[in-house]
Amino acid sequence: MQQYKTIIVTGGAGFIGSNFVHQMLKKGDTKVITLDALTYAGNLETLADVDDDINHRFVLGSIGDKSLVDYLLSRYQPEAIINFAAESHVDRSIDDPGSFIQTNVVGTYGLLESAKNYWQQLDGSARDNFRFLHVSTDEVYGSLGDEGKFTEDTPYQPNSPYSASKAASDHLVRAYYHTYGLPVLTTNCSNNYGPYQFPEKLIPLMILNAMSGKTLPIYGQGLNIRDWLYVEDHCKAIEAVLCKGRVGQV
């Protein structure tokens, strides 16, 4: 199984990204470069117990800043990029779709370009072992009824500006594999819950309201069905895909 000594984690101050950063740092033999623009979805408090030392560097910046990304790739020579960076709130995407297109589509394109150019100048085993892992969402597949499940072969049917922007980024990642040979991996997860989650999300919102004696808000008629994945289980799965996943696969 491939082991990675240096990785760049984009969106690493966000909910899932920060859990992944913590997981990788606990290994003790992986250096993590965390890149995050600290929008509403990012919070440095998620990394408060991670000191910038020999195994970790936090960099404030956007995946859309190509000169910064190029510098980080040249400076740290990572063996993998794990891309969590995204605008990810469905309701916000309805009010402001432009920022979702800019980050999730244009930003991912820029990151892919930088990764491709960096990977192409690598030699031998460094070139063979490099990975670009794109973390996406099951919302690209649309909506389920009362029964059923999504699989890797489910057709894309995004229904919100958020899911449409993530679907576009997934397609770009796939295209960079088939067009340029960039060794990519894509994961599409369901809803996560756990430590460091943004408090407006359902599970932390319900817990915080209950602890404060507030009413518990119901979305619509309360009939929606959701699938939940514990974030630390998800991060273990991402690491497994990074180390053992088949290039070009979802």
Side-chain angles (χ1 to χ4, degrees):
M1 185 170 71
Q2 174 66 27
Q3 300 294 324
Y4 291 89
K5 295 181 180 178
T6 303
I7 62 175
I8 289 179
V9 178
T10 68
F15 167 40
I16 305 174
S18 63
N19 277 279
F20 186 77
V21 169
H22 281 91
Q23 174 179 293
M24 298 304 291
L25 289 175
K26 286 177 183 177
K27 299 167 67 69
D29 55 0
T30 301
K31 181 168 185 169
V32 180
I33 313 303
T34 300
L35 175 65
D36 200 296
L38 296 182
T39 63
Y40 72 89
N43 186 348
L44 262 184
E45 291 184 10
T46 63
L47 299 172
D49 55 346
V50 177
D51 293 326
D52 267 12
D53 57 21
I54 192 170
N55 284 333
H56 184 255
R57 290 287 184 275
F58 174 79
V59 179
L60 176 62
S62 168
I63 59 172
D65 185 343
K66 191 174 187 304
S67 61
L68 173 60
V69 173
D70 289 343
Y71 166 77
L72 295 176
L73 290 169
S74 175
R75 168 70 176 81
Y76 293 106
Q77 296 289 300
E79 296 145 313
I81 297 172
I82 298 86
N83 181 34
F84 291 94
E87 299 284 349
S88 61
H89 196 280
V90 174
D91 289 346
R92 288 175 185 261
S93 79
I94 296 170
D95 295 331
D96 179 24
S99 63
F100 284 72
I101 300 300
Q102 192 62 42
T103 298
N104 299 350
V105 183
V106 180
T108 299
Y109 156 70
L111 191 62
L112 284 164
E113 273 290 292
S114 294
K116 179 197 69 174
N117 295 337
Y118 167 75
W119 168 73
Q120 287 178 335
Q121 55 85 35
L122 296 175
D123 295 318
S125 61
R127 182 184 175 96
D128 294 338
N129 294 332
F130 180 79
R131 296 290 183 270
F132 183 104
L133 197 161
H134 178 62
V135 181
S136 188
T137 171
D138 65 351
E139 293 202 33
V140 299
Y141 300 124
S143 300
L144 285 174
D146 293 342
E147 298 179 356
K149 63 181 180 180
F150 296 130
T151 74
E152 293 88 346
D153 297 321
T154 300
Y156 275 39
Q157 292 183 319
N159 292 324
S160 69
Y162 162 61
S163 57
S165 68
K166 288 298 289 184
S169 68
D170 291 6
H171 292 321
L172 281 172
V173 171
R174 173 185 169 88
Y176 268 69
Y177 168 67
H178 286 280
T179 304
Y180 306 108
L182 183 68
V184 305
L185 303 157
T186 299
T187 61
N188 297 85
C189 70
S190 59
N191 296 283
N192 280 219
Y193 72 97
Y196 310 119
Q197 187 166 26
F198 201 59
E200 70 182 19
K201 297 291 187 176
L202 175 64
I203 291 179
L205 177 65
M206 290 294 189
I207 292 172
L208 290 171
N209 278 20
M211 291 174 64
S212 302
K214 298 179 180 178
T215 58
L216 305 182
I218 299 297
Y219 186 83
Q221 298 299 310
L223 300 177
N224 299 78
I225 296 172
R226 293 291 182 267
D227 183 77
W228 295 97
L229 173 63
Y230 183 54
V231 66
E232 292 182 6
D233 292 335
H234 181 202
C235 289
K236 290 175 183 176
I238 290 173
E239 183 182 359
V241 170
L242 176 65
C243 295
K244 298 189 290 185
R246 289 177 292 166
V247 167
Q249 296 296 300
V250 174

